[in-house]
Amino acid sequence: MTTSTVGTAWTPARAYALEAKYELFKLLRMPAYAVPAVAFPVMFYSLFGLMFGGRAPGGVSMPTYLLATYGAFGVIGAALFGFGVGLAVERGQGWLVLKRATPMPPLALFTAKLFNAVVFACVIVLSLSVLGVMFGNVSLSAGAWVQLAGTLIAGAIPFCAIGLALGYFAGPNSAPALVNLIYLPMAFLSGLWIPIEMLPPAIKNAAPFLPAYHFAQLALGAVGAGLGAPAWTHVTALAGFTIVGVALALSGYRRDEDRLFG
Amino acid sequence: MIAELQRVTKRYGSVTALNGVTLRLAPGQVTALLGPNGAGKTTTVKLLLGLIRPTSGTVALFGADPRSLPARRRTGVMLQIAKVPETLTVREHVHLFCSYYPAPLTVEQALIAADLRDVADRRYGTLSGGQKQRVQFALAICGNPELLFLDEPTVGMDVESRRAFWQQVRALAARGRSIVLTTHYLEEADALADRIVVINAGTIVADGSPAQIKARAASRRIRCVTTLSPETVQHMPHVHGVRRDGASLEILASDAEHVARELLMRDDGLSGLEISGAGLEDAFLALTSGKSAGAATTQAESAAAAGGVR
């Protein structure tokens, strides 16, 4: 059998690149993911962020405040669904077992899914920003724009880790429901839909136990509307959630290794 | 040895899937792991692939840990349990898998080898059952591996597709590839393998060439107390082996009824006659009975009726 002659030594870089490319193709060809991932934050921001004017807590305009929180909402959704549901389905179908038996670079699939969460995060942040500027009179300094966009996009990482853990513990059929049951209440209780200052004190006090709260506070900090805790406390909290997510996923991976079927 | 299990036991909770199995695979051979469902064939393959860890014993692939990337770069896999993502095209799937290997086939070569050129740009989800199986075959061979694992590769294929698939496997074997395939059809093992390893209830019950296995599969054991000498019995037609066991003789025969009639005719005083399966029979009952062959045919026919045959 003749083989394709490769002039240079084989490196895993191509496998990483192709894995990311075809993961993206898979998501784009799956309307059940791609459409809601972008359309929901755009729709919610248009309905709640742009139709109500006025001032938000912290002194910024409501469209500016909600650009940060609905941006966070969209990024979290793209990460949780892309990782959690995508992984749970492919795991349930035995596809991940086959992938593990191949010489695929072990991290290629995860970096590919992370890459895609970031791509979707960029699309969501860009869409909401354009809407905010055109219809909500959002006006930020260049530095604030960079900080907001950077924070929102980097915020995909901890939620990918949480999605990873969900992907290893949810069944392929229950995964979408489970992710929604975590995602939507968490978004509300963290002040992503309605500013946290307007929520009852009980919710406000419990919010720091939720990763989405810390993410939103970092994004709000970029537009000058955070509650005022130092940024490093939020970053530390998110790093903690990331570590817990990865650790849970690892134990799920080990458990899969010893299942009767799978 | 390219792959080796040493006294391997695998338990899932209280279920023992494999019990103290030792198996060595030489390069360049087609080895069939034959046995009924639940016998331990797939567990054996998963152990050799490093997908599961043995409860006790050791597993080596190319002399290394089967989970190591260098060992995996020399193997290709087709697993019956895998459902391939449906939204990528055949070509895209093959392209990605080629990138995992240092010296793969070209995408075009892999598509030709698996007879997929006509459907290369169709999404996996739109393919027929047989085409899907050929895609999985393409994913197994596209890395140009030295060792190929095929787990129940022809389950659900109609007769025609199965024959075509056998041709592809033979072509690989002719090029010196080592192949391990699991099957519960004796016919398939016989058609493809140099060596058949029969597994039942987690242990190896027979290991030999297809001719040896077929002879043993058809044999039964006769016990009786007789004045005939073992040498006399040994020379009767259909007798494969004779052993004295106290006052009785134990005779292994491929046509037990014929031999029993002969024994009774030659020895009026013969007593204590017993005929039983030869041990292998249990393992083969599910494999060689008319029932499983009939089921396979019916499945093929209904696939044909449903337009599943190209």
Side-chain angles (χ1 to χ4, degrees), chain A residues 1-4 10 19 22 29 93 95 99-100 257-258 260, chain B residues 10 12 52 72 81 83 87 92 95 100-101 105 109 144 175:
Chain A
M1 205 173 282
T2 49
T3 58
S4 64
W10 177 86
E19 197 77 51
Y22 289 129
R29 290 171 189 169
Q93 292 176 335
W95 178 238
K99 289 272 230 186
R100 264 202 292 138
E257 271 192 328
D258 261 345
L260 186 47
Chain B
K10 177 65 188 176
Y12 298 102
I52 51 177
R72 284 188 174 162
I81 44 164
K83 279 211 186 74
T87 50
E92 289 165 347
H95 188 204
Y100 298 158
Y101 291 88
L105 304 179
Q109 284 169 335
N144 201 18
R175 283 194 285 266

PDB file of all heavy atoms in Angstrom, chain A residues 1-4 10 19 22 29 93 95 99-100 257-258 260, chain B residues 10 12 52 72 81 83 87 92 95 100-101 105 109 144 175:
ATOM      1  N   MET A   1       0.855  -1.196   0.000  1.00  0.00           N
ATOM      2  CA  MET A   1       0.000   0.000   0.000  1.00  0.00           C
ATOM      3  C   MET A   1       0.893   1.248   0.000  1.00  0.00           C
ATOM      4  O   MET A   1       1.758   1.381   0.845  1.00  0.00           O
ATOM      5  CB  MET A   1      -0.880  -0.009   1.236  1.00  0.00           C
ATOM      6  CG  MET A   1      -2.134   0.783   1.050  1.00  0.00           C
ATOM      7  SD  MET A   1      -3.219   0.564   2.470  1.00  0.00           S
ATOM      8  CE  MET A   1      -3.927  -1.053   2.117  1.00  0.00           C
ATOM      9  N   THR A   2       0.701   2.118  -0.948  1.00  0.00           N
ATOM     10  CA  THR A   2       1.545   3.309  -0.956  1.00  0.00           C
ATOM     11  C   THR A   2       1.015   4.304   0.068  1.00  0.00           C
ATOM     12  O   THR A   2      -0.174   4.395   0.310  1.00  0.00           O
ATOM     13  CB  THR A   2       1.529   3.983  -2.343  1.00  0.00           C
ATOM     14  OG1 THR A   2       0.171   4.120  -2.736  1.00  0.00           O
ATOM     15  CG2 THR A   2       2.273   3.148  -3.357  1.00  0.00           C
ATOM     16  N   THR A   3       1.900   5.014   0.645  1.00  0.00           N
ATOM     17  CA  THR A   3       1.480   5.988   1.637  1.00  0.00           C
ATOM     18  C   THR A   3       1.778   7.377   1.117  1.00  0.00           C
ATOM     19  O   THR A   3       2.658   7.560   0.279  1.00  0.00           O
ATOM     20  CB  THR A   3       2.240   5.791   2.952  1.00  0.00           C
ATOM     21  OG1 THR A   3       3.634   5.912   2.678  1.00  0.00           O
ATOM     22  CG2 THR A   3       1.965   4.428   3.546  1.00  0.00           C
ATOM     23  N   SER A   4       1.012   8.323   1.606  1.00  0.00           N
ATOM     24  CA  SER A   4       1.291   9.695   1.229  1.00  0.00           C
ATOM     25  C   SER A   4       2.636  10.065   1.824  1.00  0.00           C
ATOM     26  O   SER A   4       2.877   9.851   3.000  1.00  0.00           O
ATOM     27  CB  SER A   4       0.221  10.616   1.777  1.00  0.00           C
ATOM     28  OG  SER A   4       0.259  10.590   3.181  1.00  0.00           O
ATOM     29  N   TRP A  10       5.961  14.158  11.144  1.00  0.00           N
ATOM     30  CA  TRP A  10       4.562  14.331  11.510  1.00  0.00           C
ATOM     31  C   TRP A  10       4.469  15.059  12.850  1.00  0.00           C
ATOM     32  O   TRP A  10       5.204  14.775  13.782  1.00  0.00           O
ATOM     33  CB  TRP A  10       3.902  12.971  11.606  1.00  0.00           C
ATOM     34  CG  TRP A  10       2.479  13.029  12.048  1.00  0.00           C
ATOM     35  CD1 TRP A  10       1.388  13.214  11.270  1.00  0.00           C
ATOM     36  CD2 TRP A  10       1.994  12.882  13.380  1.00  0.00           C
ATOM     37  NE1 TRP A  10       0.260  13.205  12.032  1.00  0.00           N
ATOM     38  CE2 TRP A  10       0.599  13.005  13.333  1.00  0.00           C
ATOM     39  CE3 TRP A  10       2.617  12.677  14.616  1.00  0.00           C
ATOM     40  CZ2 TRP A  10      -0.199  12.920  14.466  1.00  0.00           C
ATOM     41  CZ3 TRP A  10       1.828  12.589  15.745  1.00  0.00           C
ATOM     42  CH2 TRP A  10       0.434  12.713  15.668  1.00  0.00           C
ATOM     43  N   GLU A  19      -9.322  19.005  13.945  1.00  0.00           N
ATOM     44  CA  GLU A  19     -10.326  18.675  14.955  1.00  0.00           C
ATOM     45  C   GLU A  19     -11.190  19.915  15.229  1.00  0.00           C
ATOM     46  O   GLU A  19     -12.420  19.837  15.281  1.00  0.00           O
ATOM     47  CB  GLU A  19      -9.620  18.227  16.240  1.00  0.00           C
ATOM     48  CG  GLU A  19     -10.494  17.487  17.210  1.00  0.00           C
ATOM     49  CD  GLU A  19     -10.731  16.044  16.798  1.00  0.00           C
ATOM     50  OE1 GLU A  19      -9.748  15.344  16.517  1.00  0.00           O
ATOM     51  OE2 GLU A  19     -11.902  15.639  16.737  1.00  0.00           O
ATOM     52  N   TYR A  22     -13.474  20.732  12.106  1.00  0.00           N
ATOM     53  CA  TYR A  22     -14.635  19.868  11.900  1.00  0.00           C
ATOM     54  C   TYR A  22     -15.615  19.936  13.079  1.00  0.00           C
ATOM     55  O   TYR A  22     -16.805  19.706  12.906  1.00  0.00           O
ATOM     56  CB  TYR A  22     -14.185  18.437  11.595  1.00  0.00           C
ATOM     57  CG  TYR A  22     -13.577  18.341  10.215  1.00  0.00           C
ATOM     58  CD1 TYR A  22     -12.333  17.763   9.999  1.00  0.00           C
ATOM     59  CD2 TYR A  22     -14.262  18.863   9.117  1.00  0.00           C
ATOM     60  CE1 TYR A  22     -11.782  17.698   8.719  1.00  0.00           C
ATOM     61  CE2 TYR A  22     -13.718  18.812   7.846  1.00  0.00           C
ATOM     62  CZ  TYR A  22     -12.483  18.233   7.649  1.00  0.00           C
ATOM     63  OH  TYR A  22     -11.953  18.184   6.386  1.00  0.00           O
ATOM     64  N   ARG A  29     -23.691  22.968  11.376  1.00  0.00           N
ATOM     65  CA  ARG A  29     -24.685  22.162  10.663  1.00  0.00           C
ATOM     66  C   ARG A  29     -25.758  21.631  11.598  1.00  0.00           C
ATOM     67  O   ARG A  29     -26.598  20.829  11.193  1.00  0.00           O
ATOM     68  CB  ARG A  29     -23.993  20.991   9.969  1.00  0.00           C
ATOM     69  CG  ARG A  29     -23.134  21.451   8.805  1.00  0.00           C
ATOM     70  CD  ARG A  29     -22.303  20.319   8.270  1.00  0.00           C
ATOM     71  NE  ARG A  29     -21.317  20.800   7.302  1.00  0.00           N
ATOM     72  CZ  ARG A  29     -20.338  20.065   6.835  1.00  0.00           C
ATOM     73  NH1 ARG A  29     -20.216  18.806   7.210  1.00  0.00           N
ATOM     74  NH2 ARG A  29     -19.480  20.565   5.967  1.00  0.00           N
ATOM     75  N   GLN A  93     -23.073   7.777  22.570  1.00  0.00           N
ATOM     76  CA  GLN A  93     -23.125   7.005  21.327  1.00  0.00           C
ATOM     77  C   GLN A  93     -21.893   6.142  21.111  1.00  0.00           C
ATOM     78  O   GLN A  93     -21.753   5.499  20.085  1.00  0.00           O
ATOM     79  CB  GLN A  93     -23.286   7.956  20.139  1.00  0.00           C
ATOM     80  CG  GLN A  93     -24.640   8.646  20.135  1.00  0.00           C
ATOM     81  CD  GLN A  93     -24.765   9.644  19.023  1.00  0.00           C
ATOM     82  OE1 GLN A  93     -23.765  10.172  18.541  1.00  0.00           O
ATOM     83  NE2 GLN A  93     -25.974   9.920  18.600  1.00  0.00           N
ATOM     84  N   TRP A  95     -19.005   7.152  20.476  1.00  0.00           N
ATOM     85  CA  TRP A  95     -18.062   7.799  19.560  1.00  0.00           C
ATOM     86  C   TRP A  95     -16.772   8.179  20.298  1.00  0.00           C
ATOM     87  O   TRP A  95     -15.669   8.050  19.763  1.00  0.00           O
ATOM     88  CB  TRP A  95     -18.722   9.024  18.945  1.00  0.00           C
ATOM     89  CG  TRP A  95     -17.864   9.821  18.015  1.00  0.00           C
ATOM     90  CD1 TRP A  95     -17.534  11.130  18.135  1.00  0.00           C
ATOM     91  CD2 TRP A  95     -17.242   9.370  16.799  1.00  0.00           C
ATOM     92  NE1 TRP A  95     -16.744  11.526  17.082  1.00  0.00           N
ATOM     93  CE2 TRP A  95     -16.548  10.467  16.249  1.00  0.00           C
ATOM     94  CE3 TRP A  95     -17.189   8.148  16.137  1.00  0.00           C
ATOM     95  CZ2 TRP A  95     -15.822  10.369  15.063  1.00  0.00           C
ATOM     96  CZ3 TRP A  95     -16.457   8.056  14.957  1.00  0.00           C
ATOM     97  CH2 TRP A  95     -15.790   9.154  14.433  1.00  0.00           C
ATOM     98  N   LYS A  99     -12.833   7.283  19.514  1.00  0.00           N
ATOM     99  CA  LYS A  99     -11.807   8.321  19.432  1.00  0.00           C
ATOM    100  C   LYS A  99     -10.644   8.017  20.379  1.00  0.00           C
ATOM    101  O   LYS A  99      -9.491   8.250  20.055  1.00  0.00           O
ATOM    102  CB  LYS A  99     -12.407   9.682  19.819  1.00  0.00           C
ATOM    103  CG  LYS A  99     -13.362  10.236  18.791  1.00  0.00           C
ATOM    104  CD  LYS A  99     -12.623  11.039  17.762  1.00  0.00           C
ATOM    105  CE  LYS A  99     -13.265  12.384  17.560  1.00  0.00           C
ATOM    106  NZ  LYS A  99     -12.633  13.105  16.451  1.00  0.00           N
ATOM    107  N   ARG A 100     -10.992   7.503  21.566  1.00  0.00           N
ATOM    108  CA  ARG A 100      -9.943   7.204  22.531  1.00  0.00           C
ATOM    109  C   ARG A 100      -9.055   6.066  22.057  1.00  0.00           C
ATOM    110  O   ARG A 100      -7.899   5.975  22.444  1.00  0.00           O
ATOM    111  CB  ARG A 100     -10.573   6.823  23.876  1.00  0.00           C
ATOM    112  CG  ARG A 100     -10.663   7.977  24.842  1.00  0.00           C
ATOM    113  CD  ARG A 100     -10.759   7.515  26.263  1.00  0.00           C
ATOM    114  NE  ARG A 100     -12.017   6.854  26.547  1.00  0.00           N
ATOM    115  CZ  ARG A 100     -12.122   5.740  27.280  1.00  0.00           C
ATOM    116  NH1 ARG A 100     -11.057   5.199  27.800  1.00  0.00           N
ATOM    117  NH2 ARG A 100     -13.289   5.202  27.477  1.00  0.00           N
ATOM    118  N   GLU A 257     -14.016   4.517  31.930  1.00  0.00           N
ATOM    119  CA  GLU A 257     -13.020   3.510  31.563  1.00  0.00           C
ATOM    120  C   GLU A 257     -13.395   2.141  32.113  1.00  0.00           C
ATOM    121  O   GLU A 257     -12.945   1.127  31.611  1.00  0.00           O
ATOM    122  CB  GLU A 257     -11.642   3.889  32.123  1.00  0.00           C
ATOM    123  CG  GLU A 257     -10.831   4.751  31.183  1.00  0.00           C
ATOM    124  CD  GLU A 257      -9.393   4.859  31.637  1.00  0.00           C
ATOM    125  OE1 GLU A 257      -9.166   4.831  32.863  1.00  0.00           O
ATOM    126  OE2 GLU A 257      -8.519   4.978  30.780  1.00  0.00           O
ATOM    127  N   ASP A 258     -14.195   2.104  33.180  1.00  0.00           N
ATOM    128  CA  ASP A 258     -14.496   0.825  33.798  1.00  0.00           C
ATOM    129  C   ASP A 258     -15.944   0.413  33.682  1.00  0.00           C
ATOM    130  O   ASP A 258     -16.402  -0.466  34.397  1.00  0.00           O
ATOM    131  CB  ASP A 258     -14.074   0.855  35.273  1.00  0.00           C
ATOM    132  CG  ASP A 258     -12.717   0.189  35.434  1.00  0.00           C
ATOM    133  OD1 ASP A 258     -12.311  -0.507  34.485  1.00  0.00           O
ATOM    134  OD2 ASP A 258     -12.076   0.358  36.472  1.00  0.00           O
ATOM    135  N   LEU A 260     -19.234  -1.351  31.984  1.00  0.00           N
ATOM    136  CA  LEU A 260     -19.424  -2.603  31.252  1.00  0.00           C
ATOM    137  C   LEU A 260     -19.573  -2.343  29.756  1.00  0.00           C
ATOM    138  O   LEU A 260     -18.950  -2.979  28.938  1.00  0.00           O
ATOM    139  CB  LEU A 260     -20.660  -3.310  31.804  1.00  0.00           C
ATOM    140  CG  LEU A 260     -20.959  -4.703  31.276  1.00  0.00           C
ATOM    141  CD1 LEU A 260     -19.717  -5.555  31.274  1.00  0.00           C
ATOM    142  CD2 LEU A 260     -22.030  -5.338  32.119  1.00  0.00           C
TER     143      LEU A 260
ATOM    144  N   LYS B  10     -10.851  -9.929  33.834  1.00  0.00           N
ATOM    145  CA  LYS B  10     -11.547  -8.645  33.860  1.00  0.00           C
ATOM    146  C   LYS B  10     -12.910  -8.836  34.502  1.00  0.00           C
ATOM    147  O   LYS B  10     -13.727  -9.630  34.038  1.00  0.00           O
ATOM    148  CB  LYS B  10     -11.707  -8.092  32.437  1.00  0.00           C
ATOM    149  CG  LYS B  10     -12.493  -6.795  32.363  1.00  0.00           C
ATOM    150  CD  LYS B  10     -11.782  -5.661  33.058  1.00  0.00           C
ATOM    151  CE  LYS B  10     -12.646  -4.421  33.157  1.00  0.00           C
ATOM    152  NZ  LYS B  10     -11.990  -3.351  33.925  1.00  0.00           N
ATOM    153  N   TYR B  12     -16.405  -6.812  35.913  1.00  0.00           N
ATOM    154  CA  TYR B  12     -17.201  -5.588  36.033  1.00  0.00           C
ATOM    155  C   TYR B  12     -18.102  -5.814  37.231  1.00  0.00           C
ATOM    156  O   TYR B  12     -19.082  -6.545  37.129  1.00  0.00           O
ATOM    157  CB  TYR B  12     -18.058  -5.368  34.800  1.00  0.00           C
ATOM    158  CG  TYR B  12     -17.302  -5.179  33.512  1.00  0.00           C
ATOM    159  CD1 TYR B  12     -17.174  -6.206  32.594  1.00  0.00           C
ATOM    160  CD2 TYR B  12     -16.735  -3.943  33.204  1.00  0.00           C
ATOM    161  CE1 TYR B  12     -16.503  -6.027  31.404  1.00  0.00           C
ATOM    162  CE2 TYR B  12     -16.059  -3.758  32.013  1.00  0.00           C
ATOM    163  CZ  TYR B  12     -15.956  -4.801  31.117  1.00  0.00           C
ATOM    164  OH  TYR B  12     -15.307  -4.606  29.934  1.00  0.00           O
ATOM    165  N   ILE B  52     -10.065  -0.395  28.394  1.00  0.00           N
ATOM    166  CA  ILE B  52     -10.379  -0.762  29.766  1.00  0.00           C
ATOM    167  C   ILE B  52      -9.125  -1.398  30.368  1.00  0.00           C
ATOM    168  O   ILE B  52      -8.250  -1.870  29.640  1.00  0.00           O
ATOM    169  CB  ILE B  52     -11.573  -1.751  29.849  1.00  0.00           C
ATOM    170  CG1 ILE B  52     -11.345  -2.936  28.908  1.00  0.00           C
ATOM    171  CG2 ILE B  52     -12.884  -1.074  29.518  1.00  0.00           C
ATOM    172  CD1 ILE B  52     -12.443  -3.981  28.987  1.00  0.00           C
ATOM    173  N   ARG B  72      -0.720   3.031  19.581  1.00  0.00           N
ATOM    174  CA  ARG B  72      -1.990   3.316  18.893  1.00  0.00           C
ATOM    175  C   ARG B  72      -1.772   3.795  17.472  1.00  0.00           C
ATOM    176  O   ARG B  72      -2.639   3.624  16.614  1.00  0.00           O
ATOM    177  CB  ARG B  72      -2.785   4.360  19.679  1.00  0.00           C
ATOM    178  CG  ARG B  72      -3.413   3.731  20.902  1.00  0.00           C
ATOM    179  CD  ARG B  72      -4.345   4.648  21.605  1.00  0.00           C
ATOM    180  NE  ARG B  72      -5.012   3.892  22.678  1.00  0.00           N
ATOM    181  CZ  ARG B  72      -5.619   4.447  23.695  1.00  0.00           C
ATOM    182  NH1 ARG B  72      -5.677   5.753  23.793  1.00  0.00           N
ATOM    183  NH2 ARG B  72      -6.184   3.701  24.614  1.00  0.00           N
ATOM    184  N   ILE B  81     -19.780  -0.591  18.711  1.00  0.00           N
ATOM    185  CA  ILE B  81     -20.629   0.241  19.549  1.00  0.00           C
ATOM    186  C   ILE B  81     -20.680   1.700  19.108  1.00  0.00           C
ATOM    187  O   ILE B  81     -21.498   2.453  19.597  1.00  0.00           O
ATOM    188  CB  ILE B  81     -20.137   0.224  21.004  1.00  0.00           C
ATOM    189  CG1 ILE B  81     -18.628   0.373  21.014  1.00  0.00           C
ATOM    190  CG2 ILE B  81     -20.588  -1.018  21.708  1.00  0.00           C
ATOM    191  CD1 ILE B  81     -18.061   0.758  22.346  1.00  0.00           C
ATOM    192  N   LYS B  83     -21.369   5.163  17.261  1.00  0.00           N
ATOM    193  CA  LYS B  83     -22.215   5.882  16.308  1.00  0.00           C
ATOM    194  C   LYS B  83     -21.430   7.105  15.865  1.00  0.00           C
ATOM    195  O   LYS B  83     -21.034   7.928  16.660  1.00  0.00           O
ATOM    196  CB  LYS B  83     -23.517   6.315  16.971  1.00  0.00           C
ATOM    197  CG  LYS B  83     -24.540   5.219  17.055  1.00  0.00           C
ATOM    198  CD  LYS B  83     -25.968   5.803  16.985  1.00  0.00           C
ATOM    199  CE  LYS B  83     -27.007   4.738  17.212  1.00  0.00           C
ATOM    200  NZ  LYS B  83     -27.081   4.340  18.628  1.00  0.00           N
ATOM    201  N   THR B  87     -23.369  14.772  10.938  1.00  0.00           N
ATOM    202  CA  THR B  87     -23.400  15.981  10.118  1.00  0.00           C
ATOM    203  C   THR B  87     -22.117  16.208   9.323  1.00  0.00           C
ATOM    204  O   THR B  87     -22.061  17.128   8.509  1.00  0.00           O
ATOM    205  CB  THR B  87     -23.667  17.223  10.986  1.00  0.00           C
ATOM    206  OG1 THR B  87     -22.761  17.204  12.089  1.00  0.00           O
ATOM    207  CG2 THR B  87     -25.092  17.236  11.490  1.00  0.00           C
ATOM    208  N   GLU B  92     -14.815  14.233   5.072  1.00  0.00           N
ATOM    209  CA  GLU B  92     -14.348  14.991   6.230  1.00  0.00           C
ATOM    210  C   GLU B  92     -13.941  14.067   7.375  1.00  0.00           C
ATOM    211  O   GLU B  92     -12.912  14.274   8.027  1.00  0.00           O
ATOM    212  CB  GLU B  92     -15.444  15.971   6.693  1.00  0.00           C
ATOM    213  CG  GLU B  92     -15.632  17.131   5.731  1.00  0.00           C
ATOM    214  CD  GLU B  92     -16.935  17.910   5.946  1.00  0.00           C
ATOM    215  OE1 GLU B  92     -17.819  17.418   6.686  1.00  0.00           O
ATOM    216  OE2 GLU B  92     -17.062  18.986   5.355  1.00  0.00           O
ATOM    217  N   HIS B  95     -10.649  12.473   6.399  1.00  0.00           N
ATOM    218  CA  HIS B  95      -9.599  13.489   6.445  1.00  0.00           C
ATOM    219  C   HIS B  95      -9.094  13.700   7.873  1.00  0.00           C
ATOM    220  O   HIS B  95      -7.897  13.713   8.143  1.00  0.00           O
ATOM    221  CB  HIS B  95     -10.186  14.803   5.886  1.00  0.00           C
ATOM    222  CG  HIS B  95      -9.168  15.887   5.692  1.00  0.00           C
ATOM    223  ND1 HIS B  95      -9.499  17.227   5.674  1.00  0.00           N
ATOM    224  CD2 HIS B  95      -7.841  15.853   5.537  1.00  0.00           C
ATOM    225  CE1 HIS B  95      -8.417  17.945   5.505  1.00  0.00           C
ATOM    226  NE2 HIS B  95      -7.391  17.138   5.412  1.00  0.00           N
ATOM    227  N   TYR B 100      -4.428  11.859  12.384  1.00  0.00           N
ATOM    228  CA  TYR B 100      -3.951  11.301  13.645  1.00  0.00           C
ATOM    229  C   TYR B 100      -2.702  10.437  13.464  1.00  0.00           C
ATOM    230  O   TYR B 100      -2.031  10.108  14.430  1.00  0.00           O
ATOM    231  CB  TYR B 100      -5.031  10.407  14.283  1.00  0.00           C
ATOM    232  CG  TYR B 100      -6.327  11.099  14.644  1.00  0.00           C
ATOM    233  CD1 TYR B 100      -7.498  10.365  14.787  1.00  0.00           C
ATOM    234  CD2 TYR B 100      -6.387  12.473  14.877  1.00  0.00           C
ATOM    235  CE1 TYR B 100      -8.697  10.967  15.138  1.00  0.00           C
ATOM    236  CE2 TYR B 100      -7.583  13.087  15.215  1.00  0.00           C
ATOM    237  CZ  TYR B 100      -8.728  12.338  15.340  1.00  0.00           C
ATOM    238  OH  TYR B 100      -9.915  12.929  15.685  1.00  0.00           O
ATOM    239  N   TYR B 101      -2.447  10.036  12.212  1.00  0.00           N
ATOM    240  CA  TYR B 101      -1.394   9.035  11.971  1.00  0.00           C
ATOM    241  C   TYR B 101      -0.186   9.656  11.270  1.00  0.00           C
ATOM    242  O   TYR B 101      -0.336  10.551  10.447  1.00  0.00           O
ATOM    243  CB  TYR B 101      -1.946   7.904  11.104  1.00  0.00           C
ATOM    244  CG  TYR B 101      -2.971   7.052  11.816  1.00  0.00           C
ATOM    245  CD1 TYR B 101      -4.316   7.392  11.810  1.00  0.00           C
ATOM    246  CD2 TYR B 101      -2.589   5.913  12.508  1.00  0.00           C
ATOM    247  CE1 TYR B 101      -5.260   6.622  12.472  1.00  0.00           C
ATOM    248  CE2 TYR B 101      -3.520   5.134  13.175  1.00  0.00           C
ATOM    249  CZ  TYR B 101      -4.850   5.479  13.153  1.00  0.00           C
ATOM    250  OH  TYR B 101      -5.782   4.721  13.804  1.00  0.00           O
ATOM    251  N   LEU B 105      -2.738   6.692   4.690  1.00  0.00           N
ATOM    252  CA  LEU B 105      -3.130   6.685   3.293  1.00  0.00           C
ATOM    253  C   LEU B 105      -3.575   8.100   2.949  1.00  0.00           C
ATOM    254  O   LEU B 105      -3.873   8.899   3.831  1.00  0.00           O
ATOM    255  CB  LEU B 105      -4.316   5.742   3.077  1.00  0.00           C
ATOM    256  CG  LEU B 105      -4.177   4.296   3.511  1.00  0.00           C
ATOM    257  CD1 LEU B 105      -5.479   3.556   3.211  1.00  0.00           C
ATOM    258  CD2 LEU B 105      -3.032   3.640   2.786  1.00  0.00           C
ATOM    259  N   GLN B 109      -7.148   7.364  -1.323  1.00  0.00           N
ATOM    260  CA  GLN B 109      -6.817   5.933  -1.228  1.00  0.00           C
ATOM    261  C   GLN B 109      -7.740   5.210  -0.249  1.00  0.00           C
ATOM    262  O   GLN B 109      -8.208   4.101  -0.516  1.00  0.00           O
ATOM    263  CB  GLN B 109      -5.363   5.757  -0.750  1.00  0.00           C
ATOM    264  CG  GLN B 109      -4.319   6.025  -1.819  1.00  0.00           C
ATOM    265  CD  GLN B 109      -2.912   6.087  -1.226  1.00  0.00           C
ATOM    266  OE1 GLN B 109      -2.737   6.382  -0.045  1.00  0.00           O
ATOM    267  NE2 GLN B 109      -1.916   5.814  -2.044  1.00  0.00           N
ATOM    268  N   ASN B 144      -3.236   3.533   7.693  1.00  0.00           N
ATOM    269  CA  ASN B 144      -2.322   2.519   7.175  1.00  0.00           C
ATOM    270  C   ASN B 144      -1.686   1.708   8.303  1.00  0.00           C
ATOM    271  O   ASN B 144      -0.469   1.553   8.365  1.00  0.00           O
ATOM    272  CB  ASN B 144      -1.239   3.191   6.329  1.00  0.00           C
ATOM    273  CG  ASN B 144      -0.599   2.216   5.367  1.00  0.00           C
ATOM    274  OD1 ASN B 144      -1.151   1.154   5.093  1.00  0.00           O
ATOM    275  ND2 ASN B 144       0.575   2.553   4.877  1.00  0.00           N
ATOM    276  N   ARG B 175      -1.563  -8.111   2.081  1.00  0.00           N
ATOM    277  CA  ARG B 175      -0.470  -7.142   2.157  1.00  0.00           C
ATOM    278  C   ARG B 175       0.264  -7.224   3.494  1.00  0.00           C
ATOM    279  O   ARG B 175       0.992  -6.302   3.855  1.00  0.00           O
ATOM    280  CB  ARG B 175      -1.003  -5.736   1.928  1.00  0.00           C
ATOM    281  CG  ARG B 175      -1.285  -5.468   0.455  1.00  0.00           C
ATOM    282  CD  ARG B 175      -1.490  -4.006   0.196  1.00  0.00           C
ATOM    283  NE  ARG B 175      -2.793  -3.558   0.659  1.00  0.00           N
ATOM    284  CZ  ARG B 175      -3.873  -3.503  -0.124  1.00  0.00           C
ATOM    285  NH1 ARG B 175      -3.795  -3.852  -1.381  1.00  0.00           N
ATOM    286  NH2 ARG B 175      -5.006  -3.078   0.360  1.00  0.00           N
TER     287      ARG B 175
END
